[in-house]
Amino acid sequence: MMTGFRLNLSPLKEPLGFVKLVEWLTAIFAFGSCGGYSGTNVISLFCGNGTNETLSAAFSYPFRLSQVSLVETNLTFCNHTAGPTHLVGDSASSAEFFVGVGVVCFLYSMVALLVYLGYMHVYKDSDFGPIIDFLLTAALAFLWLVSSSAWARGLQTVKHATGDAGIAATLGVCAQGDVTCRVTEFASLRSLNVSAVFGFLNLCVWAGNAWFVYKETRWHAQKHGGQAAPQRTQVPAAI
């Protein structure tokens, strides 16, 4: 059997190769829209005497919010002193896990496409190639489920910590009766919402692709090959 590279684009016309190409693209959108994020919220403090103060909260991937400073040193706002204050919450573990799964899937999709387009003759003649491909595809689909769920929860933490309620609960002067705190300029979270959507989209794509890979394994062939063909009813011979 020849094992050399032989370029053949026909697998892209079949679900096995086409879906793998889709996986490669959706993985890029998932980790790219999350991993490169940075934004700044502007917080306005409306004082009872009619004056206003402003603060800013700049946050970015991997969203270690507890390290984001609202007030660096002792400052006075609306005649009230505020000590060093940071945002509350830490979504780094879920964000890094999500991005890590996306990068791994991106790399695996490239390797799988290389095998499909150049070594399909080896892939189909081997029992272990399709089985390993199926097990890895199923495992990565499960990782998308876990990481997407974790990141969706982490994203809610980011939204709450940087929103009106989170800022008001974190900044001590906001609890004073003559001070009103409100986020007047929100950083766009559109790309983070897109990343969460693509995370669950990847789950669907990888779970669907697991079926097409399973059909290439010997388990599927044995299951259908082992089914006995329907027997013909024998008609008694005439006496």
Side-chain angles (χ1 to χ4, degrees):
M1 179 182 64
M2 296 182 61
T3 59
F5 181 85
R6 291 188 293 183
L7 181 62
N8 181 13
L9 299 180
S10 60
L12 292 178
K13 302 177 182 179
E14 302 174 358
L16 182 67
F18 178 76
V19 177
K20 192 65 69 178
L21 179 61
V22 173
E23 290 173 345
W24 180 72
L25 294 173
T26 54
I28 293 175
F29 281 106
F31 74 79
S33 55
C34 176
Y37 180 84
S38 63
T40 302
N41 279 6
V42 176
I43 302 100
S44 296
L45 286 71
F46 301 96
C47 308
N49 58 10
T51 61
N52 298 336
E53 305 278 358
T54 58
L55 292 172
S56 62
F59 54 99
S60 60
Y61 174 85
F63 308 106
R64 290 187 174 90
L65 302 178
S66 58
Q67 298 180 7
V68 176
S69 177
L70 277 176
V71 182
E72 295 184 358
T73 59
N74 289 335
L75 294 176
T76 300
F77 300 101
C78 304
N79 297 322
H80 300 285
T81 301
T85 307
H86 295 78
L87 292 178
V88 177
D90 191 341
S91 299
S93 58
S94 59
E96 290 175 338
F97 180 37
F98 179 80
V99 170
V101 171
V103 172
V104 169
C105 290
F106 165 75
L107 295 175
Y108 180 70
S109 297
M110 286 199 304
V111 173
L113 283 172
L114 176 64
V115 173
Y116 293 168
L117 300 182
Y119 298 94
M120 182 57 78
H121 54 291
V122 180
Y123 179 90
K124 286 186 174 293
D125 290 339
S126 171
D127 288 335
F128 295 103
I131 290 176
I132 293 175
D133 191 14
F134 168 70
L135 294 177
L136 289 176
T137 301
L140 291 174
F142 175 74
L143 287 179
W144 274 120
L145 171 63
V146 177
S147 64
S148 298
S149 300
W151 170 230
R153 177 61 179 171
L155 180 55
Q156 290 302 316
T157 299
V158 173
K159 291 180 177 180
H160 178 267
T162 58
D164 290 333
I167 296 296
T170 303
L171 197 58
V173 297
C174 298
Q176 304 299 325
D178 59 342
V179 181
T180 301
C181 300
R182 187 177 304 124
V183 179
T184 51
E185 292 185 24
F186 284 90
S188 176
L189 300 179
R190 184 178 305 170
S191 65
L192 298 184
N193 293 329
V194 168
S195 69
V197 171
F198 268 94
F200 288 104
L201 178 61
N202 271 287
L203 166 63
C204 298
V205 174
W206 282 82
N209 185 232
W211 164 249
F212 295 110
V213 178
Y214 172 72
K215 292 177 65 176
E216 300 294 329
T217 65
R218 65 185 180 190
W219 299 330
H220 181 267
Q222 290 172 353
K223 178 180 178 180
H224 289 268
Q227 293 179 352
Q231 298 181 353
R232 295 182 179 180
T233 304
Q234 295 183 354
V235 179
I239 300 177

